[in-house]
Amino acid sequence: MKKFKLVAVTSCPTGIAHTYMAAESLEQAAEAAGHEMRVETQGAAGAERLSDEEIAAADAVIFAADVEVREKERFAGKPIIRGGVKRGINDATGMVAEAVAAAENAPAGGAAVAAPVASSAPQKAPGFGTQLRQWLMTGVSYMIPFVAAGGILIALAFMIGGAQIAAVVNGGVYEGVEYAGIADLSAILAEAGIAGVMFKIGATAFSMLVAILAGYIAYAMADRVGLAAGIVGGLLAVAIGAGFLGGLVAGLLAGAIVMGLKKIKAPRGLDSLMPILVIPLLSVFAIGFLMLVVIGGPIAAVQTALTDWLEGLTGANALALGALLGAMMGFDLGGPVNKVAYLFGTGALVSDNLTVMAAVMAAGMVPPLGLALASVVRKKLFSDAERQAGKAAWVLGASFITEGAIPFAAADPFRVIASTIAGGATAGALSMAFGSTLRAPHGGIWVIGLIGNPLGYLIAIIAGTLVTCAVVIGLKGLRRPVPTAPQATPVAA
């Protein structure tokens, strides 16, 4: 059997867990099949970049990504296999086999072909729905560091300087006391202390959220030339009160406008000016006109209505929303449904509704914790591999890395997912019931000091963990586990 050289790129919206789990699975699957594999992980810590020499020597390429692959033009001329990052985890063997088949069918000297081989079924371009999700998740992935840094700094500022710190810095009235605000930012340390400095930095980071979201949605659609229109569209969305929803629309429209402009064939001599002058000029004006004159007002009205609805949730409605979001977090353990719930949480966070993000994170912590507990309480119901995975799941769950439950779900999907849905719904509902709040979009138990009503929050997580544990033990105890497809082809993770 011929030994092939393969390269891959893995990437997920948060760039924390799925990115590296898929990389490991692909490397192990390639090694088991007798091939060489090098993986570029475009994760939260930046890309471990493949060298030009490694790409040139590769016989085929695998993209296991839920966001747009950065600088994908580097792989032009290579057979490319595309799939989501979860497929890279659960079906690494299949992706490697498709890559090998594509390499075998590629023309002689495939590395020098001018365009990617795209006629075979495995290399079929993703559908519009998949592309739309990738565009949105790309924007979210670039936005998350701003949310995390800004939110945590603001929360720390409130902890150190008290709830009045916002009025001290920005001016206003708090509990009957009027504050003039900081007129000269160079004197902020002297006038407001370290808490004031932290609040101002955090608030500045937060002010960039919608612009970054819109800019990188457009970037995912149209590459670097789409950034200017996307960022300007996002800034205008904030200016007119269209907020997070406006940023989503602005990014998509900016990307679509630039994609259309890039198709225009300019006269010779002007083609070099198109990406640096003509397209930015026309696209920025077009998205600006649309946001200010045509669609901005209606979007702002919808955003206001959504914000008012979230703020007005009480009693059974709040419990129902928390349960729904919690169930979504436990449904596919970091997959598309989980990410929709997370996106809703970050959107509410941008709108300054802190209870929704708290419910989402509590529910996302529960699946690994509940399954880790079950693997200790009833060891005989779990394999040796699952019990080993349970040891890591304690830390992953506590860190809000829901993917720590994937090894359990891969081995017994129906019973495990039923338990994680039940546990997630419990945690989400109780978090909303206790009115717990959270400014940080990530961090798990390690940001407990930044959580409003931390005792209630811990109760919600513990209750969800116990429900997950009880349900999975109950379902597994009904009868011996039935072998499933993931068991027949073990996941390398």
Side-chain angles (χ1 to χ4, degrees):
M1 181 186 70
K2 181 180 177 180
K3 184 175 184 177
F4 287 96
K5 293 183 177 180
L6 308 175
V7 295
V9 177
T10 62
S11 182
C12 67
T14 54
I16 296 173
H18 273 137
T19 298
Y20 302 98
M21 294 169 70
E24 184 179 5
S25 294
L26 288 168
E27 288 171 344
Q28 292 181 358
E31 182 180 358
H35 306 293
E36 291 183 23
M37 168 72 78
R38 285 277 293 117
V39 183
E40 178 176 308
T41 52
Q42 296 185 355
E48 295 181 7
R49 188 181 176 87
L50 291 166
S51 68
D52 293 340
E53 292 76 17
E54 288 171 326
I55 295 173
D59 297 300
V61 181
I62 295 173
F63 289 164
D66 285 341
V67 299
E68 281 294 307
V69 173
R70 299 197 287 271
E71 299 180 84
K72 55 182 178 288
E73 65 276 4
R74 292 177 292 153
F75 304 95
K78 302 291 181 181
I80 298 175
I81 305 301
R82 296 179 175 87
V85 71
K86 283 196 73 175
R87 191 185 173 207
I89 297 170
N90 295 329
D91 187 28
T93 301
M95 295 194 83
V96 168
E98 289 180 12
V100 169
E104 290 175 335
N105 295 327
V113 177
V117 180
S119 58
S120 61
Q123 300 168 59
K124 183 179 179 181
F128 176 75
T130 300
Q131 285 186 317
L132 178 61
R133 180 167 61 86
Q134 289 181 337
W135 296 335
L136 294 177
M137 289 298 103
T138 298
V140 171
S141 70
Y142 280 96
M143 181 189 74
I144 284 174
F146 289 83
V147 181
I152 291 174
L153 282 171
I154 291 172
L156 289 172
F158 282 134
M159 289 176 61
I160 297 170
Q164 72 274 14
I165 194 63
V168 171
V169 174
N170 295 329
V173 178
Y174 179 79
E175 293 187 347
V177 179
E178 185 172 354
Y179 297 90
I182 307 298
D184 180 6
L185 287 180
S186 65
I188 190 171
L189 181 62
E191 296 183 25
I194 190 63
V197 174
M198 296 174 77
F199 178 83
K200 185 61 181 179
I201 296 171
T204 301
F206 240 57
S207 71
M208 294 296 298
L209 299 183
V210 174
I212 294 298
L213 172 72
Y216 279 93
I217 289 174
Y219 167 79
M221 297 174 68
D223 213 344
R224 284 176 292 183
V225 72
L227 266 175
I231 290 176
V232 171
L235 289 171
L236 290 174
V238 174
I240 62 177
F244 185 76
L245 183 60
L248 290 175
V249 175
L252 291 170
L253 282 176
I257 290 168
V258 175
M259 288 172 71
L261 291 173
K262 288 172 70 174
K263 293 181 180 179
I264 297 175
K265 293 190 177 296
R268 187 177 297 276
L270 290 179
D271 52 352
S272 62
L273 292 177
M274 290 293 288
I276 61 173
L277 177 61
V278 178
I279 292 178
L281 173 64
L282 295 178
S283 61
V284 166
F285 174 77
I287 191 63
F289 184 87
L290 287 173
M291 293 303 295
L292 289 175
V293 179
V294 182
I295 62 173
I299 295 174
V302 173
Q303 174 73 14
T304 300
L306 177 61
T307 302
D308 292 343
W309 173 70
L310 285 174
E311 291 176 349
L313 285 175
T314 57
N317 290 331
L319 292 178
L321 178 63
L324 174 61
L325 292 173
M328 292 172 69
M329 290 299 292
F331 177 72
D332 55 358
L333 308 173
V337 176
N338 173 285
K339 287 299 183 286
V340 168
Y342 184 75
L343 182 62
F344 189 80
T346 55
L349 185 62
V350 172
S351 300
D352 211 31
N353 184 297
L354 311 182
T355 57
V356 175
M357 189 67 241
V360 166
M361 191 168 84
M365 294 167 65
V366 158
L369 293 175
L371 294 167
L373 179 61
S375 70
V376 172
V377 173
R378 292 293 301 276
K379 295 181 179 180
K380 292 183 179 180
L381 294 176
F382 298 89
S383 67
D384 289 339
E386 288 173 313
R387 289 196 292 272
Q388 290 299 317
K391 295 177 181 178
W394 287 111
V395 176
L396 294 173
S399 304
F400 183 37
I401 299 176
T402 315
E403 291 89 340
I406 287 177
F408 297 91
D412 190 6
F414 297 108
R415 279 168 280 195
V416 167
I417 290 174
S419 69
T420 56
I421 289 175
T426 300
L430 286 176
S431 176
M432 292 291 281
F434 287 123
S436 296
T437 59
L438 174 66
R439 282 193 176 275
H442 220 290
I445 204 68
W446 315 116
V447 294
I448 192 69
L450 308 180
I451 293 170
N453 190 4
L455 178 60
Y457 199 68
L458 287 174
I459 292 173
I461 293 171
I462 292 170
T465 298
L466 293 175
V467 168
T468 299
C469 176
V471 172
V472 76
I473 287 174
L475 292 176
K476 282 180 173 288
L478 293 177
R479 55 190 173 89
R480 292 180 62 83
V482 178
T484 60
Q487 285 180 314
T489 305
V491 176

